[in-house]
Structures are given as structure tokens and as C-alpha cells.
Amino acid sequence: MPAGEAAAAGADAARKVFIKTYGCQMNVYDSQRMNDALAADGYSATETIEDADLVLLNTCHIREKAAEKVYSELGRLNKLKAERAARGREMVVGVTGCVAQAEGREIIRRSAAVDLVVGPQTYHRLPEVVRKARGGHKVVETEYALEDKFEHLPAPRKAEVARRGVTAFLTVQEGCDKFCTFCVVPYTRGSEVSRSVAQIVAEAERLAEAGVREVTLLGQNVNAWHGEGPDGSEWGLGRLLYRLAEIPGLARLRYTTSHPRDMDDELIAAHRDLAVLMPYLHLPVQSGSDRILKAMNRKHTAKDYLRLIDRIRAARPDIAMSGDFIVGFPGETDADFEATLAIIRATNYASAYSFKYSPRPGTPGAEMGGHVEEKVKDERLQRLQALITEQQHVFANGLVGRTMSTLIEKPGREPGQVVGRSPWLQPVIVDEKAGEIGDIVDVRITKTGTNSLFAETV
Ligand code: 5AD
Ligand code: SF4
């Protein structure tokens, strides 16, 4: 590093950054990588926004409400920034993530607080952008970078990984080429890009060495991941999972979010063969009506989905299903909605997320006729959620009395308790004598809580 830069980095040593994360797990992962990149530039993370020299909002654009939240937070930040300026301290404010990518410079026009806007493809340039912004420039960086950002981002620091806990996310794939007509992701995260096998294996090994026991592979279309194996052959996600299962210390693997069309034979076989691959699969179907699935450009039918679930369950009988649903897509009739309830009944979910359709600017869905009234969307959402809640309870109650492996994750709220994680992602509350953080122990479920399970040691 040239002497001038070293001096500048030294001057940054006391600077603090506060990152607020909205949206999906990939944003959680990205925020960690941004923290790592800024740490290399002398920034330490703070949990107190008032102390921050740099505030970043890592935003989500998936639904209208998610984007609105960002603008109301920016209003609040504008005041904080002025208060800090009155004390002679600068507060640089940045917007990153999917709203940054979708709205770019418009954010600076709408909010005077904002100094920098950086899209998800250029996080490796963040330290440089922050330096420019500190000099009083407004900086917008939303071009898709030609270089691979992951090659230029510093590797997650071991001490920091250990501090974050025994579970970790690892992005293996980003972006989407599917173009579901409701979705902004192809526009905000760009087209599908897979990280290389070598990069992924190296990062997973590093996580394991830092004490991580459970890794969740992330991608907007994670099962579309593909890459070249060490032998020169083309690998899919299934093959990658077999490889990651060999890493010493990694006891549990998961992946999310998948598209039904990319569940290939090798991936299903991985569920059959790999004990470390947790028996829980998030596989959104969005709707149970073939007419709506077609309008959504999902490129499969309700029957295709149900047949696929049968094949997955044949390979791994204890697998629990999770999904996403949208109610009130343009043109959705009562009969279409009933078909969605029917596919939920037929699948039997352990958990699911459901949303009212939110027209997103620039997506084909927003231009379609037949928008559904808000009141109708509300009613449908309520009915759908009642059904899912019922299934979730049946699933959780069915676990009472059973013994299962649990990864001890953190201290509990009550003294003497620890919180673990079941194979099906439920928090499990158990006596601290069950084991140390990072241990995987067998416990017996005694009763269910609202969103958790209570267990005793065996
Ligand atoms: N409106 C409502 N829900 C949406 N989702 C994606 N786009 C929209 C939209 N425009 C939901 C889908 C997806 C999840 C991440 O968010 O169910 O699977
Ligand atoms: Fe939100 Fe999608 Fe961006 Fe994740 S990828 S932050 S869900 S818009």
C-alpha cells in the first residue's frame, strides 16, 4: 500500500460503521461481507447508530412496503445527521442493496441525507466509494462490475466468523434468469451468476475452521447453481453438496431458495444419501392454480410440483417442506385461490411465508389487467395463513415425545437454558447441561411453544 493510503487508513482506525439490514438472508450475508471490507479499511462495527461515522441501509425492494421503510428511515437519519454535524462530527449515509440498484440516483434526489448509493454487484468498491463520499461528493455506483466482486472482497475474518456464531450463510449463486412476472430480483440482482467450486469450498473450509457447524448455501435461485469441478466436469448443486459434506467439522448443510424446475436427480439423491443435508426444503410454488402459474411465468403446473414433492419425499421421507405464496396476483379468481389452498392441503407444509401481491415497477405483472382489490387480498391472506398455521402446529405437535439432534446455538433468555436448532429449523429450548454452544446433541421434545420447541436431555 502506498504511504499516503496507509496514513489515510490509520486515520480511519477509530471510525465506526452501523449497517441496518432489510430483506432476505442474502442481504444478511452481504452486510457481513461489507463489514469485513470496511474493517480492512479501518472501520469497526457499532450497534449504536448515534456513534456511527458511516450508516448503511442494506435495503430490500421485493415488495412496496419493504422499499417504503427505507425512505422513512432516511427521514430519521437526516435529523441524526444534522445533530451530529452540530457537534462537528460527520455522518456519511449510504443506501446499498436492492433499492439502491433499482432506484440509483433517484434516492439522492428524494433524500438529502444520502451521500452514497451502491448496488449489490459492487460491494468490493465500497471502501473507495466511502472515501469519495467523505470528501463531500455524492457517489452512485450501480453499474454491473466486470470483475468478480467475490475475488475482490476480503475473506470473512476468522475471529469475526466465530463471534457471529456456529451457523453461517454462504452465497453460492446470485441473480436470476427466470423472470417470474411478479418479481424484481432479475432487475435488482441481475442475471444468474454462480461462484466457482474452488471459492465456495475455500470459504466453507474457512467457516468450519472458525467453528461453524451449520452452513446455509444461499442463492436467489440456489439450485440453478452450476460450476466446473476439479475434474473439469460440470457440477450441479447436488454434486457440490456431496463435496461440502466431506469438510471436517461441518455437521449440517442447508440451501435456500430453490425453484421447482431446478430440482434435478442428483440434488434429490443428495437428500437421500447425505445425513448432513438437513431434511428441510424451502421450495416456493407461489400459487396452486395452473392459470396463475402460467401468468406468473413459473413454467410448471401444480401437478408437476406435487409430483416433484412425491419424488423428494420418496428419497428422504422425513423431509419437511416450506414454501412461499402470493395471494391476489392480477386475474386471481376465487377458484384460483381455492386451488392454492388445495395445493397447500396436498403438500402439508412445516412452515410457509405468504404475501399479498405487490405490483413492482418495471415487472410485467404490474402492467397486467385484473388487479385484485386490497380487501380481497386481505381476506385471502388471512385464510391462507390460518391453514398454514394449522399445518405448522400439526407438524410441531407431531414432534413431541420424539428424540432429535439439536445444534446448540446460543444462551437462552432464561438463566440455565440454551437455545438449539432442530433439523427442521425450529428453535429448541433445553437445559444448559445439554451441551456447549456448537455441540450437536440428542434431546427429547417435551412440548411446543408459539414458535419453538421445549426439550429435555436424553
Ligand atoms: N409481491 C408479493 N410477493 C412477492 N414475492 C416476490 N415478489 C413479490 C411481489 N411482487 C414473494 C415471493 C417470493 C418471496 C421471496 O417474496 O413469494 O418467493
Ligand atoms: Fe429483497 Fe430480493 Fe433483494 Fe433479497 S434479493 S433484498 S428479497 S429484493
Side-chain angles (χ1 to χ4, degrees), residues 312-334:
I312 297 166
R313 283 194 168 135
R316 183 78 201 233
D318 65 342
I319 204 158
M321 297 303 305
S322 159
D324 289 340
F325 295 92
I326 296 176
V327 299
F329 186 80
E332 186 185 74
T333 62
D334 283 337

Side-chain angles (χ1 to χ4, degrees), residues 62-63 182-184 257 282 284 286 324-326 353 355-360:
I62 197 92
R63 287 169 290 273
F182 51 81
C183 190
V184 286
T257 286
H282 185 65
Q286 314 295 355
D324 289 340
F325 295 92
I326 296 176
Y353 305 87
F355 313 97
K356 290 191 280 180
Y357 172 70
S358 164
R360 307 310 292 132

Side-chain angles (χ1 to χ4, degrees), residues 151-218:
E151 288 287 355
H152 292 80
L153 279 166
R157 289 165 294 153
K158 260 192 203 159
E160 192 51 27
V161 170
R163 197 190 61 79
R164 285 169 192 160
V166 293
T167 62
F169 295 129
L170 198 176
T171 292
V172 300
Q173 178 280 337
E174 210 176 331
C176 184
D177 294 340
K178 295 273 190 309
F179 291 92
C180 299
T181 54
F182 51 81
C183 190
V184 286
V185 167
Y187 313 96
T188 61
R189 291 274 172 172
S191 54
E192 251 175 56
V193 178
S194 292
R195 289 179 73 187
S196 72
V197 174
Q199 257 189 25
I200 295 164
V201 171
E203 191 167 327
E205 284 174 344
R206 213 182 157 83
L207 293 172
E209 281 160 21
V212 168
R213 309 298 320 274
E214 175 177 310
V215 168
T216 303
L217 307 181
L218 298 180

Side-chain angles (χ1 to χ4, degrees), residues 22-27 59-62 97-98 184-185 188-189 220:
Y22 301 79
C24 64
Q25 291 152 327
M26 193 175 288
N27 265 12
T59 61
C60 174
H61 204 240
I62 197 92
C98 294
V184 286
V185 167
T188 61
R189 291 274 172 172
Q220 272 92 27

